[in-house]
Amino acid sequence: MTSLDQFDSDLEIRSYTPENTGPGPEFVQEFTRNQRRLYLYILAQVGRPTDAEEILQETNLVVWRKSAQFEPGTSFFAWTSRVALFEVLKHRERRARDKLRFSPEFVESVAEEALEASENWEERRKALSICMGKLRPQDRELIRRRYSPGENGISVAEDLGRPINAVYQSLGRIRRALMECVNRQLSAMASQ
Amino acid sequence: MASSREVKTELLELLEGLCEERLTADQFARLEHLVVKSRSARKLYLDYIHLHGTLLWDAAQSDGVILTNSNESSRARTRSVDSPHVSEESLAKQESVVSVGLGNASRWRGKKRSWSIALSAVVCLSLLTVLVWQWEDSTPTDAQLAEVPQNPSDQDPMYDVPREPAPYYRPFPIDRSIAADGTKETPVVAVIPPESDTLPLDMVAFVDQGLQDSWTVAGVTPSVVADDTEWLRRVYLDLVGQIPSASEVERFLADGSPGKRKRIIDQLLSSEGFDRHFATVWTNLLVGRSNPRIGNRNSLFQYLRNAFAENQPWDATVAAFISAEGSIDANPAANFLVAHLNNQAVPATAITARVFLSTQVQCMQCHNHPFNDWTQQDFWEMNSFFQQTKMVRNEEGKPTLVSESIGGPTLFETRNGLMKAAYPKYLERQIPDESSVNRRKEFARLIAEGKEPQLALAFVNRTWAQLLGAGFTNPIDDMGPHNPPSHPEILQTLSRGFVASGYDVKALVRWITSTKAYQLSSRVNETNGIDDPATGEMPLFSRAYTKPMTVEQVYDSLIVATRSEGTDSQLALRDKWVSQFVRTYETDENDESIHFQGSVPAALALMNGEVVKDSLDPQPGTTLHQALAAPGGDEVKLQSLAIATLNRRLAEQEVAAFRRLIRQQISAAPAPLRKRVAAEAYQDAFWALLNSGEFVTVP
């Protein structure tokens, strides 16, 4: 856990000089390239997609403002993930009444491993796209519906006129199958 | 080692609840607790979050389309791996925003600081707006929805009724408070999986049904049932390690009564050939064909042969090997560990785990397993069970196993030079490390504990693979959470049944060979071409997978094929023949490689002397002599050679091809030599049959 003082935003504004003309194209490219990874990293610590999106936006604001602090050649993700972690904790304080949020112990134990695991997330995504291709068309369609923005299991069940329990079961089965497929696929990819 | 399955089941349910935002406060706390507590739970959690998050992110980015690797869907896009999620246009858009910002900033240089800050905020916000716009502009259009069949239940029985879930996945009890429109949904009773105590009354029918279900789900129809000749050759090679003789084939073909396949299975299971074959297979597994440290390989083989003959329970056999004491003369089972106790019992640990538990632990000697959560610590904890054991020479100079009364931990070094201690522990069960405790006895006891221990799963998987050509898990000795089985319910139920039967090996073999899958032909039909474990696909068992013969099977089959009177091969001669092909490697597993890839020409070329000459020499008592001497024309002779070697009749075009060649040779020869040339021509035909790829294949 890094000291929170490092991210005191007051200090930040004072250090800003007119010579900083905004981030260059390399920065922008790194920034956009790391968005997905950052989103997943944040999601791992808060569990809820809506929270993760909010926190990602907050993080982006800070990262963009502090673009001058980034040293080219160092790990962009390492830097932005520290910002994100701070935002996760700030966000948590704001939502003090919400019972369904992860404790600081949880965040701490997950954050470090998520950082390490995130190195392989791109490989996992490749494996996932292969595995999505292996799904039966009906299963792929169900996933498409479920993950369409604004949808969830209940809305999909309503759209299709199926009992909610059946839809939850199917989704669970498919997600489990995808996970197992991804792990197999990664083993296969690694042994090549 | 691995987290227990119940915890994993619970964790999977909780993760599902998290994804669908259905967790109660208690469930949420439970999820937290599990994840904080265990590394493997954290890994599972992260993998699940990655899956869920990636699907969400991709859907948001690309108009509701999930990235797939196939080109089926017209909406699928191909992307390079490193490309950012944002498409090229929007990246250009952002860059133009940035350059506008840059341009503006330079104009404003020298002005008040607050202007610059406001500007960069504007730049930042517009970038975010671009991103957010990308996110929100992706609700599926009506056109997209219309493409989807409105009633998937019409198309697919899967959606009709909640399927009986797999034993290790229980569906969620429904939580009324989350009903979308505020009305209370009628509670649905969660489907409980079958009690793990009850076993199906008819194991074979259970397996058949399970496989049939998987074929239905995969949309394949099984291949046709193998015809008699195909099947008989297979079952003989699988159960007694050699092809049927010509007369055995004829007898089977002539038998028109029902249940003849079952009778053959019974007959083979109670024959000496079964004991010999399984003893051969397991001797090779335990000590290889060429281990230089082996004391007396033959006595080990005889021990196994007796064990299979008496149908000794498998757990007793394994215990005998693991906890063997004494000299190899007094206790032939001691030969196993004698062969592997070099190098601090590292090979003993690795081979015990691989052969009896089908788990690959050898790389964990030095580091954690790359694909699952087993650790270096786990390896050395298993190794410490062997630390009391020493090999000495007794008064006659024979290798002898003794267990010394020593206790305490095993020390090992991690990759960064840290010394750590490992105590004898298997799957969270630690035994006391006092010197008075006999660790190997305890280990043998621990691995056989429970209704469905890995010992049983491993043996079932291996035996299934031995007979069907592929295991539920492949490679067959690499089971674990990183390598899930193709049909977990079948594997587990067969294993539980195996344990409940008292680890009855013949009962298991009988179940497996009586299944519908074992009757099928290896011929592919239009639907099951994808069922091909050789390409890395998970097997469906909708057809037979042909297997190459092992070296010993080739030798024994050559003897059967070439002698018209049934004689079993002499084991000493066989071992000598086999040893030509084997080379030993000095690895941590006492590896060896075998140069025989089922190629008879190579085999016959390397076999100098007796067997070759004998097989082609039409002496009385040989197949060739019998074929030549019997009355009848070309076709009769050829068919009898074929039955003896390929165990089937030749097809018309095959007969025609052979006859053409034989006739050519005969007519080219001068009249006085024709008889001799004819005999040689048949010799050539026989040679061709023995040399064929078909001869060395288990159909």
Side-chain angles (χ1 to χ4, degrees):
Chain A
M1 267 297 297
T2 51
S3 158
L4 298 186
D5 294 341
Q6 219 178 317
F7 296 99
D8 187 337
S9 37
D10 288 333
L11 276 172
E12 208 292 306
I13 289 176
R14 267 180 264 125
S15 72
Y16 185 87
T17 63
E19 276 70 40
N20 293 343
T21 53
E26 297 92 13
F27 183 91
V28 172
Q29 201 166 47
E30 285 275 20
F31 180 89
T32 44
R33 193 179 285 141
N34 275 275
Q35 281 289 289
R36 174 203 300 275
R37 195 172 166 192
L38 205 53
Y39 169 75
L40 290 175
Y41 177 73
I42 294 170
L43 183 64
Q45 294 171 56
V46 298
R48 274 207 293 245
T50 39
D51 292 352
E53 285 163 25
E54 261 183 61
I55 298 174
L56 179 64
Q57 290 189 30
E58 306 280 329
T59 308
N60 281 340
L61 266 171
V62 174
V63 161
W64 197 259
R65 270 211 314 269
K66 300 185 189 198
S67 58
Q69 275 184 17
F70 173 64
E71 291 171 38
T74 60
S75 162
F76 193 85
F77 185 72
W79 176 57
T80 53
S81 63
R82 281 198 293 277
V83 178
L85 187 53
F86 179 65
E87 292 298 323
V88 165
L89 296 165
K90 261 172 66 177
H91 189 267
R92 197 174 173 277
E93 278 162 27
R94 265 183 257 135
R95 292 285 200 87
R97 278 166 297 131
D98 189 352
K99 284 215 189 69
L100 293 185
R101 67 207 197 303
F102 290 126
S103 65
E105 290 82 37
F106 183 93
V107 169
E108 198 176 313
S109 81
V110 163
E112 207 178 299
E113 277 192 42
L115 195 58
E116 223 180 275
S118 72
E119 314 245 330
N120 298 325
W121 281 346
E122 195 50 44
E123 283 288 296
R124 280 198 91 89
R125 188 173 145 274
K126 277 194 251 185
L128 178 59
S129 80
I130 293 173
C131 290
M132 284 294 292
K134 289 187 179 174
L135 280 183
R136 295 181 307 152
Q138 309 93 304
D139 289 347
R140 204 165 33 239
E141 180 51 34
L142 186 64
I143 290 285
R144 186 196 71 81
R145 281 176 172 270
R146 160 55 183 95
Y147 283 94
S148 297
E151 300 282 319
N152 62 9
I154 296 173
S155 60
V156 168
E158 275 171 16
D159 288 343
L160 298 177
R162 302 302 305 151
I164 180 67
N165 204 33
V167 172
Y168 281 143
Q169 275 199 45
S170 298
L171 285 173
R173 170 183 60 79
I174 299 169
R175 275 192 278 248
R176 202 175 79 240
L178 281 173
M179 248 213 358
E180 286 171 5
C181 173
V182 165
N183 287 332
R184 273 202 313 278
Q185 189 65 37
L186 285 174
S187 303
M189 277 155 60
S191 61
Q192 273 156 16
Chain B
M1 244 201 267
S3 52
S4 77
R5 209 170 338 107
E6 286 93 24
V7 175
K8 183 174 177 182
T9 307
E10 191 192 354
L11 192 53
L12 282 169
E13 285 175 23
L14 291 168
L15 289 169
E16 270 300 303
L18 183 69
C19 289
E20 294 301 324
E21 306 198 21
R22 309 169 57 207
L23 294 178
T24 63
D26 281 344
Q27 288 166 336
F28 195 86
R30 176 73 180 150
L31 174 62
E32 263 204 333
H33 171 74
L34 288 175
V35 169
V36 169
K37 186 173 79 147
S38 126
R39 186 174 152 231
S40 60
R42 274 198 293 285
K43 183 177 189 311
L44 183 60
Y45 169 76
L46 286 173
D47 289 347
Y48 225 83
I49 286 285
H50 176 272
L51 174 70
H52 186 54
T54 303
L55 290 172
L56 283 166
W57 184 266
D58 278 348
Q61 290 310 305
S62 43
D63 308 326
V65 170
I66 308 291
L67 187 69
T68 69
N69 211 32
S70 74
N71 287 324
E72 287 172 20
S73 161
S74 58
R75 294 167 294 173
R77 298 190 207 163
T78 50
R79 289 199 190 129
S80 74
V81 168
D82 289 336
S83 68
H85 66 280
V86 179
S87 68
E88 293 305 309
E89 309 97 48
S90 56
L91 186 59
K93 219 176 275 198
Q94 289 153 25
E95 287 176 338
S96 64
V97 164
V98 168
S99 57
V100 164
L102 284 171
N104 283 344
S106 66
R107 283 224 314 263
W108 290 106
R109 195 171 297 149
K111 293 270 183 175
K112 273 198 207 169
R113 198 172 287 159
S114 55
W115 276 112
S116 314
I117 294 168
L119 191 66
S120 62
V122 166
V123 164
C124 192
L125 278 172
S126 42
L127 174 65
L128 283 175
T129 311
V130 165
L131 292 174
V132 168
W133 167 74
Q134 289 262 323
W135 246 329
E136 286 175 358
D137 185 26
S138 45
T139 49
T141 63
D142 282 346
Q144 286 172 339
L145 281 175
E147 282 172 42
V148 171
Q150 288 311 303
N151 277 326
S153 61
D154 293 342
Q155 318 248 324
D156 177 11
M158 285 293 300
Y159 288 101
D160 258 341
V161 173
R163 264 171 64 78
E164 182 88 356
Y168 62 83
Y169 174 71
R170 258 181 304 130
F172 248 105
I174 200 146
D175 185 344
R176 289 193 202 183
S177 61
I178 310 185
D181 59 355
T183 60
K184 301 266 186 216
E185 283 195 10
T186 45
V188 175
V189 175
V191 180
I192 313 282
E195 283 282 11
S196 51
D197 276 347
T198 59
L199 288 169
L201 285 171
D202 186 341
M203 186 63 81
V204 175
F206 177 85
V207 174
D208 287 347
Q209 184 59 48
L211 287 177
Q212 176 62 60
D213 286 346
S214 75
W215 299 336
T216 309
V217 165
V220 306
T221 50
S223 294
V224 294
V225 170
D227 61 35
D228 278 350
T229 57
E230 186 183 349
W231 186 82
L232 193 73
R233 189 173 220 253
R234 176 192 308 162
V235 77
Y236 260 77
L237 282 164
D238 283 346
L239 295 188
V240 298
Q242 62 191 42
I243 58 174
S245 67
S247 53
E248 281 161 346
V249 176
E250 303 275 11
R251 209 177 318 142
F252 189 68
L253 287 175
D255 185 348
S257 58
K260 65 178 182 177
R261 290 195 181 189
K262 181 179 177 313
R263 280 199 296 282
I264 289 283
I265 290 173
D266 288 339
Q267 173 196 320
L268 294 177
L269 280 177
S270 49
S271 72
E272 277 183 354
F274 175 82
D275 318 326
R276 213 157 157 269
H277 176 54
F278 269 64
T280 303
V281 167
W282 276 94
T283 305
N284 287 337
L285 280 172
L286 290 179
V287 295
R289 293 174 172 96
S290 67
N291 188 313
R293 285 175 204 88
I294 183 70
N296 187 340
R297 188 175 190 280
N298 191 50
S299 73
L300 177 68
F301 171 80
Q302 298 299 344
Y303 173 84
L304 276 168
R305 194 168 165 174
N306 286 331
F308 285 116
E310 287 157 26
N311 204 21
Q312 179 169 293
W314 181 244
D315 58 341
T317 307
V318 172
F321 284 118
I322 290 182
S323 59
E325 309 257 351
S327 82
I328 57 175
D329 279 350
N331 183 3
N335 277 297
F336 168 60
L337 283 178
V338 160
H340 300 303
L341 269 178
N342 51 313
N343 189 12
Q344 287 177 278
V346 164
T349 310
I351 292 179
T352 300
R354 185 170 57 79
V355 158
F356 294 129
L357 303 171
S358 289
T359 47
Q360 301 260 9
V361 304
Q362 60 277 13
C363 46
M364 290 145 59
Q365 182 192 356
C366 305
H367 58 78
N368 298 343
H369 197 287
F371 298 121
N372 58 39
D373 58 354
W374 300 338
T375 62
Q376 191 185 11
Q377 183 87 20
D378 294 323
F379 176 88
W380 289 100
E381 282 168 355
M382 193 186 276
N383 175 279
S384 78
F385 281 101
F386 292 93
Q387 284 304 321
Q388 291 170 326
T389 311
K390 233 169 73 160
M391 190 186 77
V392 298
R393 302 257 164 195
N394 65 4
E395 310 87 55
E396 287 128 42
K398 293 293 161 94
T400 302
L401 288 179
V402 294
S403 281
E404 298 181 319
S405 284
I406 54 180
T410 305
L411 295 177
F412 66 99
E413 197 176 310
T414 65
R415 260 208 294 206
N416 34 12
L418 198 64
M419 282 304 267
K420 287 178 114 173
Y423 289 90
K425 191 163 112 178
Y426 177 68
L427 285 185
E428 313 297 323
R429 273 163 287 182
Q430 187 160 336
I431 63 163
D433 58 288
E434 280 98 65
S435 50
S436 52
V437 173
N438 183 321
R439 293 186 181 184
R440 285 189 291 132
K441 269 211 177 62
E442 287 300 302
F443 186 62
R445 184 184 58 80
L446 280 177
I447 62 175
E449 259 183 18
K451 293 206 175 72
E452 200 188 299
Q454 181 60 29
L455 178 68
L457 292 161
F459 187 78
V460 169
N461 191 52
R462 204 181 263 285
T463 307
W464 180 274
Q466 195 181 322
L467 300 169
L468 273 287
F472 296 107
T473 304
N474 296 290
I476 55 179
D477 53 11
D478 192 12
M479 300 173 84
H482 59 296
N483 196 2
S486 59
H487 300 79
E489 305 89 327
I490 300 180
L491 172 62
Q492 283 158 13
T493 306
L494 271 174
S495 305
R496 286 204 295 271
F498 180 54
V499 174
S501 71
Y503 288 86
D504 185 338
V505 174
K506 287 192 182 175
L508 178 68
V509 173
R510 188 177 277 109
W511 285 334
I512 298 177
T513 49
S514 307
T515 60
K516 178 160 186 231
Y518 192 73
Q519 314 310 312
L520 300 175
S521 167
S522 60
R523 279 191 288 277
V524 172
N525 62 32
E526 325 76 54
T527 65
N528 66 358
I530 51 161
D531 184 4
D532 192 2
T535 60
E537 290 291 324
M538 263 197 177
L540 286 167
F541 306 108
S542 68
R543 63 182 184 90
Y545 308 123
T546 59
K547 321 182 263 286
M549 280 197 206
T550 64
V551 192
E552 289 89 1
Q553 282 174 324
V554 172
Y555 186 89
D556 287 350
S557 301
L558 280 172
I559 302 289
V560 172
T562 56
R563 309 256 187 280
S564 60
E565 290 136 26
T567 31
D568 282 336
S569 70
Q570 289 192 24
L571 287 168
L573 288 176
R574 184 178 85 176
D575 286 346
K576 193 163 143 227
W577 185 79
V578 164
S579 66
Q580 296 174 83
F581 300 98
V582 182
R583 216 172 40 165
T584 330
Y585 290 124
E586 289 294 325
T587 65
D588 278 333
E589 269 198 278
N590 298 339
D591 267 337
E592 63 186 16
S593 82
I594 189 144
H595 286 286
F596 188 87
Q597 294 303 321
S599 147
V600 172
L604 294 177
L606 284 169
M607 281 184 343
N608 36 23
E610 322 86 49
V611 183
V612 178
K613 268 179 60 189
D614 287 352
S615 69
L616 292 184
D617 193 356
Q619 292 299 318
T622 64
T623 304
L624 198 52
H625 180 267
Q626 190 169 50
L628 290 174
D634 292 347
E635 178 154 357
V636 171
K637 291 183 170 42
L638 286 166
Q639 292 294 14
S640 73
L641 290 178
I643 287 269
T645 53
L646 305 183
N647 306 129
R648 65 171 176 88
R649 298 203 186 290
L650 294 172
E652 262 184 50
Q653 55 273 47
E654 290 171 313
V655 174
F658 273 116
R659 286 180 79 184
R660 206 171 25 245
L661 290 166
I662 291 174
R663 296 264 136 228
Q664 269 174 14
Q665 288 201 335
I666 292 175
S667 53
L673 295 175
R674 280 206 179 144
K675 200 145 186 269
R676 162 104 178 269
V677 166
E680 282 175 3
Y682 282 106
Q683 244 182 355
D684 286 347
F686 190 50
W687 177 262
L689 290 167
L690 288 174
N691 271 286
S692 65
E694 187 178 339
F695 180 78
V696 291
T697 304
V698 182

